[in-house]
Amino acid sequence: MTNSLISNALIDIASATKRFQLVGMLGWQDVRQRYRRSSLGAFWLTVSMGVMIASIGLVFGQIFNTPMQEYLPFLAIGIVLWGFMSSIVSEGCVAFTSAEAIIKQLNIPLFVHVLRCFWRNTIVLAHNIVIVPIVFLIVGKSLTLSMLLVVPGFLLLAINMLWISLVLGVLSTRFRDITQIIVNATQVIFYLTPIMWAPSLLPARHAAYLLSFNPVYHLLEITRGPLLGNVPSSQSWIFAAVMAVIGWAVAVMVFNRYMRRIPYWL
């Protein structure tokens, strides 16, 4: 019976990945609907994020007494990636509830709605990522071969973001308060993660638990590190890989058990 349920969940996930055209259409529609009749469209987010990065960089660069050539690229990449990750987490909580009409009327794989959330945020990321090369040009940062490691790093980040969205989507459909808990938790995690501040600023006694056991730090490091010209530590790669394996195992089990109840919870 358990194997049958696992097969049903995996079939749903596999079927959803084959509906990439549907996922792409729904994701584009979400972005276009959000910025309909706007001259800049999704680039409004890029402009606002660019202004925020410049403001934070000028202020906190002086506070931390860090050279702008080092701090501004670090901050820009961190803010852009954090925006991507936090949006997927918060929107993943409502991946199923926001698609209530579709789920009740159409017989399509439920995982499509998780992929839809991921895709629209990837589109927004593609708009915001243009800030990074602009910052590189301003500070005169050169390109290195280690930047190619951002490809496997981003793939590993995406794999983790998908299972997190799936788990939160299922649980938040049943318990609606989880969405608010996650929104508040992400605000706390933002300050506990080296996004505005560099890891080197931490005392050695605090670095052990604020960095080593912080999953967001490791997910950031395997994508931000290569873009900064650094090779991420093996600890970050292993942590992210183990997190993906264990996370997907948990996600499949949760999805197995509750996927048939989601339409009734809606």
Side-chain angles (χ1 to χ4, degrees):
M1 181 66 178
T2 302
N3 291 334
S4 176
L5 289 175
I6 292 176
S7 298
N8 290 335
L10 293 178
I11 288 172
D12 185 277
I13 294 173
S15 299
T17 57
K18 295 177 182 178
R19 303 283 187 95
F20 59 90
Q21 290 182 335
L22 175 61
V23 172
M25 181 191 69
L26 291 174
W28 275 110
Q29 182 181 8
D30 289 340
V31 176
R32 292 178 62 184
Q33 184 69 21
R34 186 181 300 178
Y35 301 101
R36 186 175 59 177
R37 299 182 181 178
S38 172
S39 300
L40 293 180
F43 280 107
W44 274 116
L45 285 176
T46 307
V47 172
S48 61
M49 184 170 288
V51 172
M52 180 179 66
I53 289 171
S55 303
I56 295 176
L58 291 174
V59 174
F60 283 86
Q62 297 298 322
I63 292 176
F64 296 142
N65 195 25
T66 305
M68 201 59 63
Q69 292 79 4
E70 297 178 8
Y71 183 66
L72 202 56
F74 174 88
L75 176 68
I77 299 171
I79 292 290
V80 169
L81 289 175
W82 171 255
F84 172 70
M85 295 169 64
S86 60
S87 294
I88 288 182
V89 169
S90 59
E91 293 181 17
C93 291
V94 295
F96 297 125
T97 54
S98 61
E100 178 179 354
I102 297 177
I103 293 174
K104 289 183 176 180
Q105 296 179 28
L106 300 177
N107 184 23
I108 61 175
L110 290 173
F111 192 63
V112 162
H113 306 294
V114 177
L115 291 176
R116 174 185 181 180
C117 170
F118 177 82
W119 174 239
R120 69 169 172 259
N121 281 288
T122 302
I123 295 173
V124 174
L125 174 64
H127 286 80
N128 292 338
I129 202 67
V130 300
I131 296 174
V132 175
I134 293 175
V135 170
F136 282 8
L137 287 174
I138 292 174
V139 301
K141 187 171 182 60
S142 58
L143 303 180
T144 62
L145 288 176
S146 62
M147 290 182 175
L148 295 175
L149 289 174
V150 73
V151 176
F154 182 77
L155 289 176
L156 196 51
L157 170 65
I159 292 171
N160 278 287
M161 289 293 99
L162 283 171
W163 76 255
I164 292 172
S165 295
L166 178 57
V167 171
L168 292 178
V170 173
L171 297 179
S172 297
T173 304
R174 176 63 181 89
F175 305 102
R176 303 300 171 93
D177 290 337
I178 288 180
T179 302
Q180 295 302 320
I181 294 173
I182 294 299
V183 169
N184 292 326
T186 52
Q187 295 177 355
V188 176
I189 293 173
F190 175 78
Y191 293 107
L192 295 179
T193 304
I195 297 172
M196 292 195 304
W197 49 272
S200 58
L201 297 176
L202 276 180
R205 63 181 182 276
H206 294 153
Y209 56 87
L210 277 180
L211 299 182
S212 300
F213 301 104
N214 186 340
V216 179
Y217 165 71
H218 294 294
L219 293 177
L220 273 175
E221 192 62 19
I222 60 176
T223 46
R224 179 175 58 189
L227 290 175
L228 291 174
N230 304 323
V231 177
S233 65
S234 57
Q235 181 188 22
S236 293
W237 287 110
I238 294 172
F239 194 103
V242 171
M243 181 180 170
V245 173
I246 296 176
W248 266 107
V250 172
V252 169
M253 287 190 292
V254 171
F255 197 40
N256 287 340
R257 184 165 184 176
Y258 300 115
M259 61 181 292
R260 295 184 179 180
R261 302 184 188 180
I262 289 175
Y264 299 98
W265 290 340
L266 295 173

